Amino acid sequence: MDLLQRIKSGEARVGIIGLGYVGLPLAVEFAKAGLHVVGYDVDQSKVDSLTAGKSYIPDVPSEELAAVVKAGTVRATTDQREVADVDVIDICVPTPLRKTRDPDLSYVVKAIEATAAVLRKGQLVILESTTYPGTTEEVAQPALEAGGLKVGRDIYLAFSPERVDPGNQTYLTKNIPKVVGGIDQTSTDLAAALYERVVDKVIKVANTRVAEMVKLLENTFRAVNIGLVNEIALMCHRLDIDVWEVIDAAGTKPFGFMPFYPGPGLGGHCIPIDPFYLSWKARQSGFECRFIELAGHVNGAMPEFVVERVTDALNSAKKSINGSKIHLLGVAYKKDVGDVRESPALDILELLHRRGATLTYSDPFVPSLKIDSLTLKAVDLLKTDADCAVICTNHSSFDYDAITKKFPLIVDTRNALRGREGKGIFRL
Ligand SMILES: NC(=O)c1ccc[n+]([C@@H]2O[C@H](COP(=O)([O-])OP(=O)(O)OC[C@H]3O[C@@H](n4cnc5c(N)ncnc54)[C@H](O)[C@@H]3O)[C@@H](O)[C@H]2O)c1
């Protein structure tokens, strides 16, 4: 039976390399659709957790994971040789930036090498990690073909960007349309057929470069619009205008406007990083991405502005940062998730620490935190006696009435205290 038939009949076996925020939900969706999935990860603790049916990703309920593990449709391993038997290999490893803000493809390269080591005729390889246009063609294809198998003749290769939005209860893997582009038409068709088993809508595009660029357009769009609204927030502060009221009123326009909100800065593994994959690649062709650089500059300066607002707040009580007790509410990069990667709260903590503040934090999703010079454990917010609180992340479970009563000074970077007024409340 050929691969297309195996996919359509549900007999295809899928190997997922990288079982994180992207790989685990995907593995569970494939398994729920009846496909046999083997997940390979270098992190033993994730493999152990999956094997025990315990989810470590908030969007994947443990009951769902335990059910597919028990049914034998999904299992995990740290042995790369176990992906040799599968029909499809789906790569979901991290794509961070180096300190120089250049793409760090080392995880992708290692995953491709692991794939190449076990590759056999008839397999389909899909890259899902966000990366610059050309990666699949220029990095993955030559490495996979080095052993003599040719894409389009012996094996198939496609790129399909992952669009999962951790913490989003409305849009999950199944109802987020999936974009697919292959090196050749057969690769596109095979990858599309696979996703059609688990995703409501699949969009085929001309090739891998288009598919790679789609994801970078989406994330650059967000980074630039957040940069714009952050600059508008700084401007409104100077002009003494309430930026939140402005955005709410502008948001009533039924066309041609989409609200974005200011905040303490960008966080997570995508928006602060992905646009720089694009600008790096464009620079190779002598093209400067001015919007990306400018948005990066504005967004990157927001933690400094938050610290300025903390200074204003303390100043109003004749206090200074040096010697004050400051409590951060929420350190995850966005509401209702536990991910602290690139979180602006880390920069804010570091800046306040350097200025001599005594720091505490609370976050229901982040029990402890380590940044350069600081190790902190989350504390009960009602048991602190801080001079000033900073709402960095507007988690739904925070009791904002209690927070308003508890702290004499509050810097609210998310408009979480919407509708509450008070001399001690300092909005962004
Ligand atoms: N997190 C998101 O919201 C999101 C959304 C869309 C796209 N993406 C993209 O998806 C990709 C993965 O992101 P993530 O958030 O799932 O990362 P993650 O860190 O949560 O998961 C990656 C997993 O890959 C494993 N890994 C690393 N190297 C490996 C190797 N050589 N072999 C096997 N396993 C390996 C890690 O141990 C980890 O478990 C990135 O390119 C990211 O930009 C992420």
Side-chain angles (χ1 to χ4, degrees):
M1 193 188 291
D2 74 2
L3 183 53
L4 188 60
Q5 278 174 308
R6 288 178 67 74
I7 291 171
K8 288 196 164 165
S9 67
E11 282 168 69
R13 288 153 304 156
V14 181
I16 298 206
I17 301 189
L19 295 167
Y21 284 91
V22 166
L24 184 70
L26 206 59
V28 171
E29 281 308 314
F30 281 134
K32 273 164 46 189
L35 299 168
H36 278 81
V37 180
V38 51
Y40 160 59
D41 202 295
V42 289
D43 182 345
Q44 183 72 50
S45 68
K46 288 205 175 86
V47 169
D48 291 344
S49 196
L50 188 153
T51 306
K54 285 200 189 114
S55 176
Y56 43 87
I57 303 286
D59 292 342
V60 176
S62 282
E63 311 80 73
E64 272 189 28
L65 177 62
V68 284
V69 170
K70 197 168 167 217
T73 40
V74 70
R75 64 187 180 83
T77 176
T78 52
D79 183 351
Q80 70 184 58
R81 286 169 302 185
E82 293 192 39
V83 287
D85 285 344
V86 300
D87 299 289
V88 183
I89 298 175
D90 205 334
I91 299 173
C92 308
V93 296
T95 43
L97 288 176
R98 297 187 188 284
K99 283 214 156 55
T100 51
R101 283 175 112 58
D102 289 346
D104 176 2
L105 275 192
S106 58
Y107 299 91
V108 169
V109 168
K110 280 210 183 85
I112 301 268
E113 282 169 0
T115 305
V118 297
L119 199 64
R120 58 174 176 77
K121 214 171 163 176
Q123 280 178 321
L124 164 68
V125 179
I126 307 173
L127 182 60
E128 295 230 12
S129 304
T130 307
T131 182
Y132 58 80
T135 308
T136 312
E137 223 173 64
E138 295 158 17
V139 179
Q141 187 175 357
L144 294 174
E145 289 183 335
L149 296 172
K150 284 270 162 272
V151 172
R153 186 188 69 194
D154 309 307
I155 51 168
Y156 305 97
L157 177 60
F159 182 85
S160 179
E162 179 52 59
R163 289 165 150 175
V164 72
D165 181 20
N168 190 327
Q169 304 297 316
T170 312
Y171 292 106
L172 296 153
T173 304
K174 187 160 171 45
N175 61 352
I176 302 175
K178 196 94 171 91
V179 171
V180 175
I183 292 285
D184 64 330
Q185 191 58 46
T186 310
S187 298
T188 307
D189 293 342
L190 286 169
L194 177 76
Y195 291 120
E196 273 158 7
R197 293 201 59 88
V198 292
V199 175
D200 294 341
K201 187 169 183 191
V202 174
I203 298 105
K204 294 183 193 178
V205 295
N207 52 48
T208 52
R209 299 165 75 84
V210 173
E212 288 158 338
M213 189 70 187
V214 167
K215 175 72 185 175
L216 294 184
L217 169 62
E218 290 167 5
N219 283 1
T220 301
F221 172 83
R222 283 187 62 77
V224 168
N225 277 290
I226 294 168
L228 172 66
V229 84
N230 275 332
E231 188 168 84
I232 296 282
L234 301 182
M235 197 189 297
C236 282
H237 176 64
R238 201 64 73 82
L239 299 175
D240 199 20
I241 297 169
D242 181 344
V243 68
W244 304 98
E245 193 179 355
V246 171
I247 298 168
D248 282 350
T252 59
K253 187 178 177 188
F255 51 89
F257 182 82
M258 180 189 278
F260 281 83
Y261 298 95
L266 293 182
H269 183 44
C270 296
I271 311 293
I273 291 173
D274 302 347
F276 293 99
Y277 268 67
L278 184 55
S279 56
W280 178 86
K281 181 65 179 176
R283 227 178 295 126
Q284 318 291 304
S285 301
F287 189 93
E288 282 299 325
C289 300
R290 287 166 293 173
F291 274 109
I292 292 176
E293 296 302 327
L294 183 58
H297 185 72
V298 174
N299 292 328
M302 290 310 285
E304 292 277 1
F305 182 63
V306 173
V307 170
E308 200 182 309
R309 295 299 281 146
V310 175
T311 309
D312 293 342
L314 288 167
N315 214 28
S316 73
K318 299 189 168 50
K319 290 182 177 172
S320 62
I321 290 180
N322 194 351
S324 286
K325 290 184 224 160
I326 302 178
H327 185 76
L328 258 71
L329 292 160
V331 292
Y333 82 91
K334 70 170 179 176
K335 84 189 253 192
D336 302 340
V337 302
D339 192 349
V340 295
R341 289 179 293 180
E342 314 289 326
S343 174
L346 309 184
D347 292 335
I348 293 166
L349 282 168
E350 187 68 41
L351 290 168
L352 293 170
H353 177 60
R354 271 194 242 143
R355 284 163 176 74
T358 301
L359 295 162
T360 49
Y361 84 92
S362 40
D363 191 313
F365 300 95
V366 186
S368 64
L369 194 61
K370 187 163 170 31
I371 49 175
D372 285 354
S373 49
L374 270 177
T375 304
L376 296 171
K377 276 202 165 64
V379 296
D380 180 344
L381 67 92
L382 296 177
K383 292 196 179 136
T384 63
D385 62 343
D387 302 290
C388 177
V390 184
I391 301 175
C392 279
T393 317
N394 49 338
H395 289 309
S396 310
S397 59
F398 282 145
D399 179 344
Y400 292 103
D401 283 331
I403 287 168
T404 313
K405 282 193 203 122
K406 167 84 192 161
F407 297 100
L409 299 169
I410 304 174
V411 174
D412 179 5
T413 70
R414 304 278 189 177
N415 202 21
L417 304 182
R418 169 188 290 268
R420 296 171 179 85
E421 292 303 330
K423 263 196 2 213
I425 297 176
F426 291 72
R427 294 197 161 82
L428 203 68

